[in-house]
Amino acid sequence: MKDPNSTRNTSPRRGSPLWIFFAVSIGLGAAAGAAALAGLARADLDALFGNPVFWILGAFIVVGEMRPIIAPGLTETSGATTSTTFSIAALLYAGLPVAAVLQATAAVTCGIFRGRSPHRIAFNAAQYILSLGASALVLHAFGIHPSPTDPWVPGGRDLPAIALVGVAYFVANLTLVGSAIALHERITLVRALRWDLPYQVLVHLALLGLAPLMVIAMDRSAAFVPLIVLPFIAVYLNASVSVRREHQALHDGLTGLPNRKLLITRTETAIAQLGRQPGRTDAPTRAARGPAGGALLRRGGDDTAGRVGLFLLDLDRRFKEVNDTLGHPTGDRLLQLVAHRLTHSVRPGDLVARLGGDEFAVLLPTVRDEAAAREVAARLRAALSEPVRLDGVSFDLEGSVGIALYPDHAPDFELLLQRADVAMYHAKGSRTGVEVYSPDRDRNSPARLGLLGDLRRALDRGELELRYQPKIALRDGRLVGMEALLRWRHPERGVLTPEEFLPVAAQTYLMRAITHEVVDMALAQAEAWWWEGLTVQIAVNVSGRDLLDADLAETIAEGLVARDLPAAALQLEITERVLTGEPAAGSTTVAALTDLGVALSLDDFGTGYSSLVRLKRLPIEEVKIDSSFVRRLTGSPDDAVIVRSVVELVGTLGLRSVAEGVEDAQTAALLREMGCDAAQGWHFARPMDAVRATAYLRRGAHAAGAPDEGDAPLDGRPAPV
């Protein structure tokens, strides 16, 4: 299978070590080939063209070069080429000139057919000529000088000479190829040779061992030659089936990129190899803790030994727009284009993988430091930013990249990926494009990571619950709506409030799942109430990360239709900092929700920096005044002025004002006098489970309710989801 991450066709920079190595190798190969051809006499050429054995042999060398036997775990560049058997047979039977011409012709033909670059084709031809030349020197040392007019057929006593011919070919070929790989991927020669040395030894032992048998068959009759090929065909077909199955299991079917499974394997291999470097004397340990519980890893050995980098890259919103506007086939072509751009923007040896949807990962098996990792990430974003034209439509792409490094940020793949995810969402939220993981922005400690695992299981076990707190009109005491507040009934720790677990989930993929679960539970409860004639609106809090979820509006729309509910049954509360601070980030989702008819509420108003002009432009119907102002309303003249100003401003704009955290009758009366429309707080009712909330609605009692067991005061208002 072709490796989509291969960058070996990229021409080396002129004057670089790899360029010099290619130039020297190609020059030596050309000189060796010219010297060999100069030794051919006219009679040798006549014998060469007149003998059908050489034509058959040449065809088999070309086919063997173009159809290597690829075992599982290998690519076409590391598979076994059966041309080795036939070229060594040509060397033994007719000498170096014949073998060099046939093998060089096969290398050029294969290179052109596979679209390889000229420098790579020339190097492959030179590599074979030099390897065959080393074998020819061994033959000459034993006094053996085969030619087309005087072919050599080995006997039993010639096995030592043949063995040394094979060793010379194997060592020369392996050294040339290994050196090119080492220079291309910037690793040591020993490391390049060690990758698949046992496999190469075993395969070449078999291929080279068949060469003298081929010579004997050629000497008897050209008709015997095809019979030798039959075992190769059987092995090739069997290996092709195995490789195809392995490729399907380890690669993405759409883009051909490695999937998560192969990414894990390669990352673990890179970490293990880095750990074995001389500069590292001990394994990473969680010896120190950074602020907010983020793990800081202490390394043993020398910092110059390098790092392993893992990137997480996510397209910024445009992908869903392409799917919705131009259709999924065009979206698939876009993903293939993105995969192509990414694989041609990374360094040689780096791995690009697709994790799903429009999310990609990039593995840097070796990277010098954070600055070098940022350079690679910048190249990735620059490649993506090139204008794209599909189906006559031109548009721009953008991506956000999160970077995590081993051993600086995590000791294993799972934690590296999680922390790259944290960095990626910070890059997306801050609109910086590229961010490196920082413990200051990650509130995950080992205990919280354990909590994250429990939370993942809680979603499957249905341990999340909703409590409902009413919003009451101050003028006449009627019910305005119910706010859904999330709780987690932990099997060991009891009922947990959102502030105890949402900060952990907010920086991971679980946040999306939690929001969708909360919306589903709220819609299910709304359906039950509306079916009973209790037509109350349920408000659900959404985070800034939720607004980056392009599927949120679609999920809500499907939920409303499935339960035969109007859009008025649901309200989404969005904090002021999110809705006004980064309008570009969630503008598409907000617009989709507005078009759907779902009401939006601006939560925690007063804690951000909304201007009158910006507030007027927001597609909201309600503004909630933050409890920090409401709690001090009766004791602080300044806060009273602020609240009164907000109420008047909101009323002027034709919006509903709701005060949060109302805990006593005096505050409620003052708010009513100011003209505030509605209020919410323990003075009216504490959060209630579904059963108590239903009874509350049936009574139509909008007075203070009994506290819900398990809920404690949280600054006058439980933290929302």
Side-chain angles (χ1 to χ4, degrees):
M1 292 291 179
K2 188 175 180 180
D3 183 5
N5 285 281
S6 177
T7 55
R8 294 181 181 178
N9 272 338
T10 305
S11 299
R13 179 174 51 82
R14 189 177 184 85
S16 66
L18 180 60
W19 184 89
I20 295 173
F21 176 76
F22 275 164
V24 172
S25 299
I26 293 170
L28 291 176
L37 291 176
L40 282 178
R42 177 72 181 183
D44 292 328
L45 294 175
D46 293 338
L48 179 63
F49 289 109
N51 191 339
V53 168
F54 296 114
W55 290 100
I56 296 174
L57 200 60
F60 286 156
I61 291 176
V62 172
V63 172
E65 188 68 20
M66 294 182 64
R67 289 288 181 267
I69 298 176
I70 307 173
L74 301 177
T75 64
E76 64 179 29
T77 57
S78 56
T81 55
T82 54
S83 62
T84 300
T85 297
F86 306 117
S87 60
I88 292 296
L91 174 70
L92 296 176
Y93 188 67
L96 176 62
V98 175
V101 168
L102 295 179
Q103 184 62 69
T105 301
V108 173
T109 302
C110 177
I112 295 174
F113 179 79
R114 293 189 179 278
R116 292 173 180 168
S117 58
H119 79 274
R120 189 176 174 189
I121 295 174
F123 173 76
N124 287 339
Q127 153 208 336
Y128 284 125
I129 292 174
L130 292 174
S131 300
L132 290 169
S135 299
L137 291 176
V138 173
L139 281 179
H140 292 332
F142 280 89
I144 302 170
H145 305 280
S147 67
T149 55
D150 185 21
W152 179 64
V153 180
R157 296 180 180 180
D158 298 315
L159 288 179
I162 295 174
L164 289 177
V165 166
V167 170
Y169 178 88
F170 176 74
V171 171
N173 190 61
L174 189 68
T175 302
L176 288 169
V177 173
S179 299
I181 293 175
L183 292 171
H184 178 72
E185 301 190 0
R186 303 174 187 177
I187 58 178
T188 63
L189 176 60
V190 173
R191 183 177 171 187
L193 296 178
R194 191 174 55 192
W195 273 344
D196 58 351
L197 183 60
Y199 169 80
Q200 293 293 342
V201 170
L202 180 63
V203 169
H204 278 80
L205 187 64
L207 294 175
L208 295 171
L210 288 173
L213 301 180
M214 176 67 72
V215 172
I216 296 173
M218 290 162 51
D219 185 62
R220 292 298 181 92
S221 171
F224 288 129
V225 176
L227 298 178
I228 301 292
V229 181
L230 293 179
F232 287 114
I233 296 175
V235 173
Y236 174 80
L237 293 177
N238 186 61
S240 297
V241 172
S242 300
V243 169
R244 191 176 299 110
R245 290 174 179 171
E246 184 201 46
H247 189 274
Q248 291 173 349
L250 298 177
H251 291 77
D252 172 54
L254 177 64
T255 62
L257 294 176
N259 58 17
R260 181 187 177 95
K261 185 176 181 180
L262 184 55
L263 177 66
I264 293 174
T265 302
R266 294 289 179 85
T267 304
E268 291 175 345
T269 300
I271 289 174
Q273 290 176 340
L274 188 65
R276 288 196 296 265
Q277 287 188 7
R280 301 194 182 278
T281 57
D282 56 39
T285 58
R286 303 186 185 211
R289 296 276 158 199
L296 298 177
L297 303 176
R298 182 161 58 216
R299 301 186 304 275
D302 187 1
D303 268 357
T304 60
R307 293 157 178 79
V308 174
L310 186 65
F311 295 0
L312 202 61
L313 183 147
D314 188 73
L315 298 184
D316 291 341
R317 315 195 58 79
R318 299 290 293 182
F319 174 64
K320 187 177 187 302
E321 294 177 16
V322 172
N323 274 341
D324 293 343
T325 306
L326 303 178
H328 287 275
T330 303
D332 290 345
R333 286 165 50 204
L334 174 63
L335 288 176
Q336 292 169 343
L337 176 63
V338 169
H340 176 80
R341 288 186 176 183
L342 293 179
T343 54
H344 287 77
S345 302
V346 296
R347 308 167 310 162
D350 295 343
L351 180 81
V352 179
R354 183 186 177 211
L355 301 183
D358 57 351
E359 192 171 57
F360 297 83
V362 179
L363 170 67
L364 277 56
T366 56
V367 61
R368 184 180 65 255
D369 51 25
E370 178 182 315
R374 282 184 175 273
E375 289 178 6
V376 177
R379 286 205 303 272
L380 292 173
R381 295 196 74 240
L384 286 180
S385 64
E386 295 275 340
V388 177
R389 188 170 183 82
L390 292 174
D391 293 346
V393 179
S394 182
F395 52 91
D396 297 325
L397 280 178
E398 289 184 354
S400 297
V401 183
I403 302 173
L405 302 176
Y406 165 88
D408 302 57
H409 304 139
D412 53 41
F413 170 81
E414 289 297 337
L415 201 52
L416 269 177
L417 186 65
Q418 188 265 331
R419 290 182 169 172
D421 185 62
V422 170
M424 186 268 288
Y425 272 97
H426 178 67
K428 190 181 286 284
S430 62
R431 312 296 288 176
T432 56
V434 177
E435 287 291 339
V436 178
Y437 172 79
S438 171
D440 295 335
R441 304 189 191 104
D442 187 0
R443 300 179 63 184
N444 295 331
S445 65
R448 294 194 175 201
L449 289 175
L451 192 66
L452 186 64
D454 292 343
L455 185 55
R456 187 184 299 110
R457 289 184 288 272
L459 283 167
D460 298 330
R461 296 171 181 172
E463 296 173 0
L464 298 183
E465 303 174 355
L466 290 183
R467 305 292 170 85
Y468 301 91
Q469 188 174 39
K471 294 186 286 187
I472 305 298
L474 290 172
R475 185 174 302 276
D476 54 14
R478 65 181 175 83
L479 181 71
V480 174
M482 287 281 205
E483 180 178 3
L485 303 171
L486 183 62
R487 298 291 183 269
W488 176 11
R489 192 171 292 278
H490 195 282
E492 298 176 358
R493 301 173 58 181
V495 178
L496 302 181
T497 57
E499 64 181 12
E500 297 178 81
F501 61 89
L502 279 191
V504 178
Q507 297 171 329
T508 71
Y509 62 92
L510 279 180
M511 192 63 225
R512 180 179 184 272
I514 291 173
T515 299
H516 284 240
E517 177 73 9
V518 169
V519 169
D520 186 67
M521 289 191 294
L523 290 177
Q525 186 60 59
E527 179 186 23
W529 284 341
W530 282 62
W531 181 262
E532 193 175 336
L534 305 172
T535 55
V536 60
Q537 183 184 68
I538 298 181
V540 173
N541 286 263
V542 293
S543 67
R545 182 162 181 165
D546 294 326
L547 291 185
L548 299 175
D549 178 9
D551 297 329
L552 179 61
E554 184 177 345
T555 300
I556 292 175
E558 292 174 353
L560 291 171
V561 172
R563 293 179 169 82
D564 195 23
L565 288 171
L570 184 69
Q571 182 189 63
L572 297 183
E573 295 188 3
I574 306 171
T575 61
E576 179 189 13
R577 290 189 182 93
V578 172
L579 197 55
T580 63
E582 294 292 343
S587 58
T588 304
T589 301
V590 170
L593 292 169
T594 303
D595 293 340
L596 187 61
V598 174
L600 300 181
S601 172
L602 186 62
D603 199 11
D604 297 337
F605 186 78
T607 59
Y609 303 94
S610 299
S611 66
L612 179 60
V613 174
R614 177 174 289 181
L615 185 60
K616 184 179 180 180
R617 292 176 178 175
L618 293 175
I620 57 177
E621 69 169 18
E622 177 184 276
V623 173
K624 301 186 74 173
I625 306 170
D626 189 66
S627 60
S628 61
F629 300 105
V630 175
R631 284 199 312 270
R632 299 190 297 265
L633 186 60
T634 57
S636 171
D638 292 338
D639 286 317
V641 171
I642 292 174
V643 172
R644 184 181 296 275
S645 300
V646 170
V647 169
E648 292 175 355
L649 168 63
V650 171
T652 302
L653 295 175
L655 305 175
R656 181 172 63 218
S657 56
V658 179
E660 301 181 283
V662 178
E663 304 304 317
D664 54 69
Q666 184 181 1
T667 302
L670 186 54
L671 287 167
R672 185 183 305 111
E673 183 271 328
M674 289 179 175
C676 184
D677 297 309
Q680 175 182 357
W682 281 34
H683 171 65
F684 301 99
R686 295 187 179 187
M688 299 169 279
D689 60 25
V691 174
R692 294 180 181 179
T694 302
Y696 175 89
L697 292 174
R698 288 171 180 166
R699 292 195 310 267
H702 301 156
D708 185 33
E709 185 178 350
D711 280 304
L714 295 172
D715 296 328
R717 174 176 172 268
V721 60

